[in-house]
Amino acid sequence: MRYAVPLITLLLSVTYLAVQPPTDRSLLGIGHLLILLLPPPNAPANNDAQEAVVTAARSVWQKVLGGWTVVTFHKESPSLLRARSEGKLPEAALTQPQEYADKLCAVEGAKAALWLRVTRSDEKMPQAIEGMLLFPSKAQFSADLQEQKVTDDEKQALSPLMGKAMQVPNDLLLALRLGKWLQTQLAMEPPQPSPALALDPKTAAELVAAGKLEEATQVLSALIADNPTNPRLYLQLGEVYERRGRFDDAALEYRRATQLQGDFWEAWKGIARTAAKRARWNLALDAVRRLRQLPAKEPAYLALGAQAATALAADAMRRGRDHEREAFLKEAAAFDEGLIQATDDPKLLLDAAERLVNARQGELAIAALQKALPKFSSEPNLSERVIIVAVSLKRPDIAYQSLVALVSKGEYAPSREQFSAFLTAMDAEAVRLFERVRDSVTDFDMQKLTRDDMMVRLQQLNADADRLLRTAHSIKPPEAFAKVYDRRLLSYDLFLQATVLLMQWVETQEDLIRRRAVIYYEFARMELEGAVSEERKIR
């Protein structure tokens, strides 16, 4: 809603808060009472005056009324959207929040919910307001400065916030009266603060390290009230919001930091991350493009840029914008090419390979897989993805290496899609072994190989055949393939026996042993061809 003004924007509209004496602000007791501020049902008399009152309420309620924290309603808040997806919040709550104040409070952890509206103003200066408490009870409120002038008690209460102001500002006074009324309606004493906390960035960092994110949020918010032009404070607050999963709020803080300092790269990184969390791919891509100005390219943001450009390409395709789609795919490939050069992380490289396959950049995809291949043995959970990608790239050799790593930990039961890719990888290895035997025997007959060289080849073939058989035995096929898979296992076993016979022949030179080996090889080939034919029918 357009009147639920982001807190970070509101902080900048009341400049006199920045001049409060530092002796009064060195320590702050932090309370834990959250008040949910909903948008008014009707437009205020003046938007700027409305912003000023909401800003003042946030400051007054926190520092005069015992540490109350104002949480403004955002219909795209991650916590609300998550509650909606989990069925804890009806869809109407996001469009008609006043009707679901109790449920919104439950989701946000707020003690009370209300709306306020400026009903009269002198240009940007509010003169009168109205409001309604919606939860935990219902009550109406109104205040008009023409009807009731400021009292001495109100001046005393607000004096720490006034700085050098000669008279009490209208927005502070109206906010105080609304807060006092709300305090009465809630029939409770101001919350007891926790032990006083030093109001500085170090304290905020210590709170974050201790997992006290809400208290860190309040400390940083108070610091920003005193130092509204310090971009690093906005960065810190954005990081806290991001850790809390409040990505919309985090994005606002990061954006403000970049507005104050255009080359604040850590804030641009935050914008990229939070935009990706919200699937705001245009924003994510824009932020990553800006990060290209840095001399050192961080792999995580190269990957994020590729992800964003790929998502935008898919969206362009859905809308029939082929030229735009091709441009995004080209940009995504450029990010991924840089990523391949910049990282050895197997997951990032595999993600890049998958994107590049979809972008028809086969050579780059293969380069990503080859660079990551030595790492996959220590990352077995990635191996099955590698196998599928490698098969799609017509590189069953890479697929087979990953398959061996995958099943080395024990028996593996693949899905039908995975099993199909596994078969392709094993078929390629079997063909390689058959061809290697044929070429070796031919070379030996033509005296291109000595007996010792031939034996070395056969020993390697024997080891490879044994590995293929053990790999195949470690795979538990889907039920539909169980019987035909036994034929495949028989083929591999016959091949291994034939290789052992061939090694005996090289040692003895007995023709009978060679003929037996040839027969075994022929049976192995026939069984494999039969298994492949049956598997095709099942697939």
mmCIF file of all heavy atoms in Angstrom, residues 374-393:
data_model
loop_
_atom_site.group_PDB
_atom_site.id
_atom_site.type_symbol
_atom_site.label_atom_id
_atom_site.label_comp_id
_atom_site.label_asym_id
_atom_site.label_seq_id
_atom_site.Cartn_x
_atom_site.Cartn_y
_atom_site.Cartn_z
ATOM 1 N N PRO A 374 37.483 -33.452 -11.281
ATOM 2 C CA PRO A 374 38.276 -34.001 -10.166
ATOM 3 C C PRO A 374 37.640 -33.763 -8.799
ATOM 4 O O PRO A 374 37.949 -34.467 -7.844
ATOM 5 C CB PRO A 374 39.613 -33.246 -10.288
ATOM 6 C CG PRO A 374 39.671 -32.786 -11.703
ATOM 7 C CD PRO A 374 38.258 -32.484 -12.081
ATOM 8 N N LYS A 375 36.749 -32.777 -8.707
ATOM 9 C CA LYS A 375 36.148 -32.434 -7.419
ATOM 10 C C LYS A 375 34.923 -33.277 -7.099
ATOM 11 O O LYS A 375 34.498 -33.355 -5.950
ATOM 12 C CB LYS A 375 35.725 -30.956 -7.415
ATOM 13 C CG LYS A 375 36.834 -29.978 -7.741
ATOM 14 C CD LYS A 375 37.678 -29.690 -6.534
ATOM 15 C CE LYS A 375 38.707 -28.592 -6.836
ATOM 16 N NZ LYS A 375 39.501 -28.249 -5.660
ATOM 17 N N PHE A 376 34.323 -33.885 -8.126
ATOM 18 C CA PHE A 376 33.048 -34.557 -7.910
ATOM 19 C C PHE A 376 33.175 -35.819 -7.064
ATOM 20 O O PHE A 376 32.200 -36.261 -6.463
ATOM 21 C CB PHE A 376 32.376 -34.894 -9.240
ATOM 22 C CG PHE A 376 31.843 -33.687 -9.955
ATOM 23 C CD1 PHE A 376 32.111 -33.487 -11.293
ATOM 24 C CD2 PHE A 376 31.082 -32.760 -9.287
ATOM 25 C CE1 PHE A 376 31.625 -32.372 -11.949
ATOM 26 C CE2 PHE A 376 30.591 -31.630 -9.932
ATOM 27 C CZ PHE A 376 30.865 -31.440 -11.263
ATOM 28 N N SER A 377 34.354 -36.398 -7.013
ATOM 29 C CA SER A 377 34.526 -37.592 -6.178
ATOM 30 C C SER A 377 34.283 -37.271 -4.708
ATOM 31 O O SER A 377 33.866 -38.130 -3.930
ATOM 32 C CB SER A 377 35.929 -38.163 -6.363
ATOM 33 O OG SER A 377 36.907 -37.196 -6.017
ATOM 34 N N SER A 378 34.536 -36.022 -4.312
ATOM 35 C CA SER A 378 34.283 -35.612 -2.930
ATOM 36 C C SER A 378 32.913 -34.973 -2.770
ATOM 37 O O SER A 378 32.544 -34.563 -1.682
ATOM 38 C CB SER A 378 35.365 -34.614 -2.471
ATOM 39 O OG SER A 378 35.360 -33.461 -3.301
ATOM 40 N N GLU A 379 32.163 -34.861 -3.863
ATOM 41 C CA GLU A 379 30.821 -34.293 -3.832
ATOM 42 C C GLU A 379 29.861 -35.255 -4.524
ATOM 43 O O GLU A 379 29.318 -34.974 -5.588
ATOM 44 C CB GLU A 379 30.805 -32.934 -4.555
ATOM 45 C CG GLU A 379 31.673 -31.869 -3.922
ATOM 46 C CD GLU A 379 30.995 -31.230 -2.715
ATOM 47 O OE1 GLU A 379 29.793 -31.484 -2.504
ATOM 48 O OE2 GLU A 379 31.670 -30.477 -2.003
ATOM 49 N N PRO A 380 29.615 -36.439 -3.930
ATOM 50 C CA PRO A 380 28.808 -37.458 -4.608
ATOM 51 C C PRO A 380 27.386 -37.015 -4.901
ATOM 52 O O PRO A 380 26.759 -37.512 -5.843
ATOM 53 C CB PRO A 380 28.837 -38.636 -3.637
ATOM 54 C CG PRO A 380 29.195 -38.048 -2.313
ATOM 55 C CD PRO A 380 30.091 -36.896 -2.619
ATOM 56 N N ASN A 381 26.860 -36.094 -4.106
ATOM 57 C CA ASN A 381 25.493 -35.652 -4.339
ATOM 58 C C ASN A 381 25.357 -34.878 -5.647
ATOM 59 O O ASN A 381 24.251 -34.711 -6.167
ATOM 60 C CB ASN A 381 25.022 -34.774 -3.181
ATOM 61 C CG ASN A 381 25.912 -33.555 -2.976
ATOM 62 O OD1 ASN A 381 27.129 -33.683 -2.963
ATOM 63 N ND2 ASN A 381 25.318 -32.406 -2.794
ATOM 64 N N LEU A 382 26.473 -34.399 -6.193
ATOM 65 C CA LEU A 382 26.434 -33.689 -7.464
ATOM 66 C C LEU A 382 26.631 -34.624 -8.657
ATOM 67 O O LEU A 382 26.321 -34.249 -9.789
ATOM 68 C CB LEU A 382 27.528 -32.612 -7.496
ATOM 69 C CG LEU A 382 27.478 -31.536 -6.406
ATOM 70 C CD1 LEU A 382 28.636 -30.569 -6.589
ATOM 71 C CD2 LEU A 382 26.161 -30.790 -6.439
ATOM 72 N N SER A 383 27.113 -35.820 -8.406
ATOM 73 C CA SER A 383 27.504 -36.701 -9.508
ATOM 74 C C SER A 383 26.345 -37.056 -10.427
ATOM 75 O O SER A 383 26.504 -37.123 -11.647
ATOM 76 C CB SER A 383 28.145 -37.982 -8.953
ATOM 77 O OG SER A 383 29.350 -37.683 -8.282
ATOM 78 N N GLU A 384 25.172 -37.320 -9.858
ATOM 79 C CA GLU A 384 24.049 -37.716 -10.703
ATOM 80 C C GLU A 384 23.653 -36.599 -11.661
ATOM 81 O O GLU A 384 23.260 -36.854 -12.802
ATOM 82 C CB GLU A 384 22.865 -38.143 -9.852
ATOM 83 C CG GLU A 384 22.339 -37.078 -8.930
ATOM 84 C CD GLU A 384 21.300 -37.628 -7.958
ATOM 85 O OE1 GLU A 384 21.495 -38.728 -7.408
ATOM 86 O OE2 GLU A 384 20.287 -36.934 -7.761
ATOM 87 N N ARG A 385 23.757 -35.348 -11.202
ATOM 88 C CA ARG A 385 23.485 -34.225 -12.104
ATOM 89 C C ARG A 385 24.531 -34.161 -13.213
ATOM 90 O O ARG A 385 24.203 -33.889 -14.372
ATOM 91 C CB ARG A 385 23.472 -32.916 -11.320
ATOM 92 C CG ARG A 385 22.270 -32.740 -10.403
ATOM 93 C CD ARG A 385 22.424 -31.530 -9.500
ATOM 94 N NE ARG A 385 22.663 -30.306 -10.241
ATOM 95 C CZ ARG A 385 23.101 -29.175 -9.689
ATOM 96 N NH1 ARG A 385 23.389 -29.123 -8.397
ATOM 97 N NH2 ARG A 385 23.297 -28.089 -10.433
ATOM 98 N N VAL A 386 25.788 -34.410 -12.840
ATOM 99 C CA VAL A 386 26.863 -34.392 -13.837
ATOM 100 C C VAL A 386 26.594 -35.430 -14.922
ATOM 101 O O VAL A 386 26.771 -35.163 -16.117
ATOM 102 C CB VAL A 386 28.225 -34.674 -13.175
ATOM 103 C CG1 VAL A 386 29.321 -34.737 -14.226
ATOM 104 C CG2 VAL A 386 28.543 -33.607 -12.153
ATOM 105 N N ILE A 387 26.162 -36.602 -14.519
ATOM 106 C CA ILE A 387 25.927 -37.690 -15.476
ATOM 107 C C ILE A 387 24.880 -37.277 -16.496
ATOM 108 O O ILE A 387 25.059 -37.461 -17.707
ATOM 109 C CB ILE A 387 25.501 -38.961 -14.723
ATOM 110 C CG1 ILE A 387 26.657 -39.455 -13.847
ATOM 111 C CG2 ILE A 387 25.071 -40.056 -15.689
ATOM 112 C CD1 ILE A 387 26.238 -40.466 -12.802
ATOM 113 N N ILE A 388 23.784 -36.710 -16.031
ATOM 114 C CA ILE A 388 22.705 -36.300 -16.941
ATOM 115 C C ILE A 388 23.187 -35.205 -17.889
ATOM 116 O O ILE A 388 22.916 -35.235 -19.094
ATOM 117 C CB ILE A 388 21.482 -35.844 -16.127
ATOM 118 C CG1 ILE A 388 20.871 -37.044 -15.398
ATOM 119 C CG2 ILE A 388 20.442 -35.186 -17.026
ATOM 120 C CD1 ILE A 388 19.761 -36.688 -14.435
ATOM 121 N N VAL A 389 23.919 -34.227 -17.347
ATOM 122 C CA VAL A 389 24.426 -33.140 -18.205
ATOM 123 C C VAL A 389 25.426 -33.681 -19.226
ATOM 124 O O VAL A 389 25.373 -33.342 -20.416
ATOM 125 C CB VAL A 389 25.080 -32.035 -17.349
ATOM 126 C CG1 VAL A 389 25.746 -30.990 -18.244
ATOM 127 C CG2 VAL A 389 24.037 -31.373 -16.464
ATOM 128 N N ALA A 390 26.342 -34.533 -18.776
ATOM 129 C CA ALA A 390 27.360 -35.068 -19.686
ATOM 130 C C ALA A 390 26.728 -35.898 -20.797
ATOM 131 O O ALA A 390 27.154 -35.820 -21.958
ATOM 132 C CB ALA A 390 28.365 -35.911 -18.900
ATOM 133 N N VAL A 391 25.723 -36.687 -20.488
ATOM 134 C CA VAL A 391 25.035 -37.474 -21.522
ATOM 135 C C VAL A 391 24.366 -36.554 -22.529
ATOM 136 O O VAL A 391 24.411 -36.791 -23.746
ATOM 137 C CB VAL A 391 24.012 -38.431 -20.874
ATOM 138 C CG1 VAL A 391 23.081 -39.026 -21.925
ATOM 139 C CG2 VAL A 391 24.741 -39.546 -20.123
ATOM 140 N N SER A 392 23.731 -35.483 -22.044
ATOM 141 C CA SER A 392 23.082 -34.541 -22.965
ATOM 142 C C SER A 392 24.090 -33.858 -23.872
ATOM 143 O O SER A 392 23.758 -33.447 -24.986
ATOM 144 C CB SER A 392 22.282 -33.497 -22.179
ATOM 145 O OG SER A 392 23.146 -32.598 -21.498
ATOM 146 N N LEU A 393 25.328 -33.731 -23.388
ATOM 147 C CA LEU A 393 26.401 -33.124 -24.187
ATOM 148 C C LEU A 393 27.135 -34.151 -25.054
ATOM 149 O O LEU A 393 28.126 -33.807 -25.700
ATOM 150 C CB LEU A 393 27.409 -32.449 -23.255
ATOM 151 C CG LEU A 393 26.937 -31.172 -22.545
ATOM 152 C CD1 LEU A 393 27.912 -30.795 -21.433
ATOM 153 C CD2 LEU A 393 26.782 -30.030 -23.540
#
